[in-house]
Every structure is written in structure tokens, then in C-alpha cells.
Amino acid sequence: MQTRITHILAILLAALSLSCDSYLDLRPENGTVRQEFWQTKEDVQAAVIGIYSAMLNTPPSESDLTLAEYLFMYGELRGGMVSPAAFTSNDQSDIITTNILPSNSITTWSQFYRIINYCNTVIDLAPDVLEEDPTLTQEQLNNYLSEALAIRAYLYFTLAKSFKDVPLKLDATLSDGDNFQLETTPQDQIFAQVLVDLNEAERLSVEDYGNTPENKGRITKFAINAMQADLNLWLENYDEALVAADKIINSGQFELIDASPQWFTTVFAIGNSTESIFELQYTPENRGPFYGIFLQQPQYLAAPAVLEEVFGVDFDEPENKDVRGERASLVPGTNEIYKFTGLNEDQRKALQESDTHWFIYRYSDALLMKAEALNELGRGAEAISIIEDLREKRAAIAQTQEQVTPQDQDGIRRYILGERAREFAFEGKRWFDVLRNARKNNYAYLDILLGVALRSAPANQQQSILAKLQDPNSHYLPINTFELYTNKALTQNPFYK
């Protein structure tokens, strides 16, 4: 059976990755999908495996970056914690310095829509297999659909956070006759569809696949709950965000690990720990991109001020350190980003062992999302309790502790934002955390975003960057020039016109 699944997967990925002149870049040959697949439950399983494979790797026929690289760039380059390195491209540097043009190659979204189409194909065609293969049960089908719905939702959520208005395509691209001239859908409608998908995915979801790698590397109910909490924070639906976060916290399936010399190895170098909710599962046989972009030919460094300003330094007692900082997130002195290449506090992984996962949601995310919701609901004392408990587990030092009262909602908001910087350094979350907080209450906290931008801006560009960022449309990426050329229905983000 494994040989059959591998064969089907290879054909499916090849069929779904043929290049074309459309902005989606997804057209398979006419009829291939329906004629060759969707006859057995193994075909459905292979198609779902194909979705995860596409999240890990770019098809051989495509000269594109991996999804993890885009998630890193979209979430970190504008977040004030990353600096250029020796092999940084001009396009990467331009994102870091907020000098972004529609021609910037990083603004391509083909990798996202390629995977979305794999999800759409499963959602559209898998139900028909019930009639073809009596061994496929409704429960099995539901579980597969849950995975496809949740991944599609996560990708659209990320696109809407990055670009604001994007095309919304909910049916599979199966034929050259499909319409590729699709206009953008407003961000609020994208978010609404993401919420619909996540609620349906939760209804159909799995809590336990029976083994740790699948529980951490495939979509579970708890991964969906994390996405729901995240989305509802963006929607400022704080009661709903709290409910979703509590589903994870009250499940008893996750726990924080105490700070120790083994903490980094357990959580990051090995992965799939009790702190893990959903991780992309790289292996020694299928290595991620991190060894190259952070070590061999480094494209990014931690910004010079990160160690002291984010994690803190105890100059009186140098051994008093936040477990998340030195030789966990970065290497002091060189500012090398260490989280994805390290084996332990003293050694890096060898190239052939560079299998560190990409971390999409960890348990601490659920805790801090709950704290954010509680604070916005006026329950500051409970939010502070969560922050302090996490800090104790991470051996956070006094230099980064904030003296806030339960009534100081803005102070707690910024304390959570600072704690998220420590907890999720270089995990593709920083810019989105900054933007989410800045835009609360109709951009009542724009100063948060402006402050972050100034910390990473060249001195001679600071005034220009501040002027740009007064326009909320500048907080989102432009639609790439190539996408505009191939899809005439698209409308450029007005800031970049």
C-alpha cells in the first residue's frame, strides 16, 4: 500500500504543479486529476499527504522558495528583530527597510495558491470517492476534509494578514478552461471565510491520530483551535478567542517544560514536545531551508539590539539568562539566528542532521493569546498571571519584567507583545503581532508599529518611513507586478499605485 501511495503522490504533485501563464500558476492537464485519481481511499490519503508535502517543499518543476521561507519573511523582515546578512538579497533588504515595490520578488504568492489548490482539490473531489470505494468511511473522509479546510484557512489567513485584499478561490483548478481572471476579495471577507472553514474543520476534526509525529505534524482539533483564537484576536472578537484558547489549555494534552539545559534541544532541536501544537515535520531525509539561510550562506541576522532589548542582559550576573535568548534564538556577538540550526546550547547540528521543524503553533501561543483576550476583556489580573507563569518557566530575568497593574490595559498589552517577542523570536510572528496590536480600535495604537519601524530603519530614511507608515495600506505588501500582468482583474493595493 505504501508503494501505491508514494506512486500516486508523485503523479499527483507532478500533475498539479505544471506551470502556466496564469497568476495562480496551477493548471494541470485537462482530465488528469479526475481520470487518474479519486478511485480509492488510498488516493484520498495520498492527496492529503500531498498537501503536507507541498507545505514542506517546492515542486521540482518550480523555482520558488519553500512555504517556511515565505512565512519567515512575511512575519519577521518588517518586525524590527532581523537585520541583513552577507547573502541578503536587495529584495530582502528592501522589505527590512520598508522600501517595497510591486516588482519585489518576495511579494509573489504562487506558493500559497499552489497549496490552496491542493486543498481545494481534496475538498472538491474526495467526497465522490465514497461511492467508488466502500472501504472509505464517512468519518475518515471527514477527517481528511478537516485537514484540507484548516490548511486552506491558515494560508488565506496568512495572505490576508500580509497583502490585505487577495483573490478568494474556493474551488479546484482542474482544467485549462477554468477562470483565472479573479479580482481581489476584501480582507474582512477573507477573514469571514477563514472563520467558516475553521468552524467546519473543527466539526470534522481529529483529536488523536495515535502517535506523536502525526499529532504534531498533522492538523488536529487543537491546531484548529489555535487558528480560531488567532483569527478572533484579529477580528477583535475576544470572547471567541478566549473560548478557542481554553479548548487547548483545558484539554490536558499540552504543558510547558521547565527551563533547563535540555529545554532548547527538547522543544526545538528534536521538536514534537509537549509544548507543540502544529509543526512542519522536516527530517534528515527531507531537510528544511534553515541551514542554508541562517548558517551556510546567511541571509538574515538577529538585529544588534535584540539580545539586550528583547531578552535582557544581567551585567552583574552574566549566567542569569532567559532560556529563550542566548544560544536558543541567537548567538551573542555574531547575532547568528540559532533557533533552527542548533542542537543544544553548545553545538549546532551537522548539515545532514538539519531537520529542525517549522513551528506554526506552540502551547505558549495559546497561553499568550488567552492573556491578550483576557486583557482586552478587562481581566488584567488573569492576563498578568499567565505572563508571569510563562516567564517563570522560561527563567526570564528581572530586566525584562514590567511593573503593570491589572487596570493598566495598555501596559499589559505591550507586556504581552514583549513576551511574544521573546517567546516566538524568528518564528514568523513578530510583524503580525505588531500589526495586530497597532490596528486595534481603528489604529489607536499606531505608535507600536512606528516604534518598531524606527528601530530597524536607517537614520537617513526614518522620516520617509514614518511618513509612509501613516497610511494603513502601507502595512501590507503590494500585489506583485507579474500577478497584475497575468490577471487583469486584480486591483493593486492603493498605496503602491
Side-chain angles (χ1 to χ4, degrees):
M1 179 181 296
Q2 184 62 43
T3 301
R4 172 178 166 79
I5 292 172
T6 302
H7 176 68
I8 293 171
L9 174 57
I11 298 174
L12 178 67
L13 291 179
L16 292 180
S17 63
L18 295 177
S19 62
C20 68
D21 59 357
S22 74
Y23 83 97
L24 288 177
D25 201 19
L26 290 172
R27 294 186 206 176
E29 294 178 359
N30 281 331
T32 298
V33 173
R34 289 188 184 276
Q35 292 172 8
E36 300 294 333
F37 312 109
W38 312 109
Q39 303 298 311
T40 69
K41 65 182 180 183
E42 287 80 15
D43 296 347
V44 179
Q45 180 186 9
V48 174
I49 292 171
I51 295 172
Y52 290 104
S53 178
M55 294 179 77
L56 292 168
N57 304 300
T58 301
S61 61
E62 303 294 335
S63 57
D64 202 351
L65 303 177
T66 63
L67 179 66
E69 289 174 272
Y70 283 111
L71 294 175
F72 174 85
M73 291 189 294
Y74 291 175
E76 296 295 337
L77 296 193
R78 292 179 290 172
M81 291 175 60
V82 171
S83 291
F87 292 88
T88 305
S89 71
N90 290 335
D91 283 349
Q92 291 163 342
S93 292
D94 286 345
I95 299 286
I96 293 172
T97 58
T98 320
N99 183 30
I100 310 169
L101 298 174
S103 57
N104 191 304
S105 62
I106 294 169
T107 64
T108 182
W109 55 33
S110 59
Q111 181 72 316
F112 288 83
Y113 280 102
R114 185 180 299 114
I115 304 169
I116 285 170
N117 193 54
Y118 298 166
C119 296
N120 286 342
T121 303
V122 170
I123 294 165
D124 283 0
L125 301 185
D128 292 341
V129 179
L130 278 177
E131 298 180 5
E132 301 291 338
D133 185 353
T135 67
L136 175 65
T137 68
Q138 184 67 55
E139 181 179 6
Q140 289 172 324
L141 173 63
N142 289 347
N143 298 161
Y144 289 136
L145 292 175
S146 172
E147 293 177 86
L149 284 164
I151 293 171
R152 181 175 78 178
Y154 173 74
L155 295 173
Y156 271 126
F157 182 36
T158 303
L159 284 170
K161 291 187 297 180
S162 303
F163 292 90
K164 192 178 182 183
D165 302 341
V166 298
L168 180 64
K169 193 172 193 299
L170 300 177
D171 58 329
T173 300
L174 301 173
S175 166
D176 287 343
D178 286 356
N179 177 29
F180 291 94
Q181 302 298 302
L182 300 175
E183 62 185 17
T184 55
T185 298
Q187 184 190 59
D188 59 345
Q189 293 181 33
I190 298 288
F191 284 165
Q193 181 61 49
V194 169
L195 187 59
V196 168
D197 279 355
L198 290 177
N199 289 342
E200 179 66 1
E202 182 187 23
R203 185 182 72 83
L204 304 174
S205 65
V206 174
E207 286 194 13
D208 187 352
Y209 289 99
N211 63 81
T212 298
E214 288 190 278
N215 284 343
K216 306 301 185 180
R218 294 177 66 179
I219 293 292
T220 63
K221 174 181 181 291
F222 307 113
I224 296 165
N225 295 150
M227 296 176 196
Q228 290 170 324
D230 198 351
L231 173 63
N232 278 301
L233 290 179
W234 277 77
L235 294 173
E236 300 183 28
N237 294 335
Y238 299 115
D239 286 310
E240 291 86 346
L242 183 60
V243 168
D246 271 338
K247 288 178 181 179
I248 300 167
I249 295 165
N250 297 335
S251 70
Q253 301 298 307
F254 308 93
E255 64 178 353
L256 297 176
I257 299 170
D258 291 334
S260 74
Q262 293 75 45
W263 176 82
F264 173 79
T265 301
T266 302
V267 174
F268 294 105
I270 297 174
N272 292 346
S273 70
T274 59
E275 295 198 7
S276 166
I277 297 176
F278 183 38
E279 303 177 2
L280 296 187
Q281 307 279 305
Y282 288 107
T283 67
E285 296 75 30
N286 184 21
R287 298 188 295 267
F290 313 122
Y291 209 81
I293 66 176
F294 295 131
L295 183 58
Q296 286 182 316
Q297 295 183 323
Q299 299 172 16
Y300 317 101
L301 295 172
V306 166
L307 182 61
E308 185 172 349
E309 293 185 2
V310 175
F311 297 102
V313 176
D314 187 340
F315 293 102
D316 296 325
E317 189 179 344
E319 292 306 309
N320 178 29
K321 294 179 287 191
D322 191 314
V323 73
R324 299 167 293 188
E326 182 177 333
R327 286 282 176 165
S329 291
L330 73 162
V331 178
T334 66
N335 291 320
E336 171 195 334
I337 294 174
Y338 190 74
K339 182 171 281 186
F340 301 96
T341 59
L343 176 63
N344 52 45
E345 292 181 345
D346 303 310
Q347 299 172 288
R348 295 177 185 82
K349 294 182 176 182
L351 172 60
Q352 62 270 25
E353 298 168 341
S354 56
D355 59 351
T356 300
H357 300 166
W358 178 256
F359 308 94
I360 293 182
Y361 287 106
R362 296 191 285 114
Y363 182 49
S364 50
D365 213 345
L367 293 170
L368 288 174
M369 287 192 291
K370 177 176 181 176
E372 185 172 331
L374 287 168
N375 182 53
E376 300 300 334
L377 291 169
R379 297 163 63 178
E382 295 170 78
I384 293 171
S385 178
I386 291 173
I387 300 168
E388 295 302 330
D389 182 63
L390 178 62
R391 289 177 55 81
E392 181 179 357
K393 292 285 187 182
R394 302 309 195 218
I397 64 177
Q399 283 80 353
T400 60
Q401 187 173 28
E402 301 285 345
Q403 302 301 320
V404 293
T405 65
Q407 293 74 37
D408 183 5
Q409 190 175 62
D410 188 52
I412 297 171
R413 182 181 295 119
R414 294 167 193 266
Y415 198 6
I416 294 170
L417 189 58
E419 203 57 43
R420 288 186 66 88
R422 285 180 279 279
E423 184 67 20
F424 306 114
F426 315 119
E427 293 181 42
K429 295 182 182 288
R430 181 59 178 169
W431 171 254
F432 297 132
D433 288 342
V434 168
L435 179 57
R436 183 181 67 254
N437 279 275
R439 71 200 288 272
K440 288 181 190 290
N441 301 329
N442 195 27
Y443 275 99
Y445 308 99
L446 180 61
D447 65 295
I448 293 174
L449 187 148
L450 298 179
V452 165
L454 281 181
R455 282 197 293 274
S456 58
N460 63 345
Q461 297 181 30
Q462 288 187 354
Q463 291 306 311
S464 170
I465 289 172
L466 284 179
K468 289 180 183 179
L469 293 175
Q470 296 294 328
D471 183 345
N473 287 312
S474 73
H475 306 160
Y476 300 95
L477 296 173
I479 297 175
N480 188 269
T481 302
F482 177 75
E483 317 293 358
L484 292 168
Y485 175 76
T486 55
N487 178 10
K488 304 304 183 185
L490 290 174
T491 302
Q492 179 64 277
N493 177 334
F495 180 79
Y496 300 97
K497 287 183 176 180

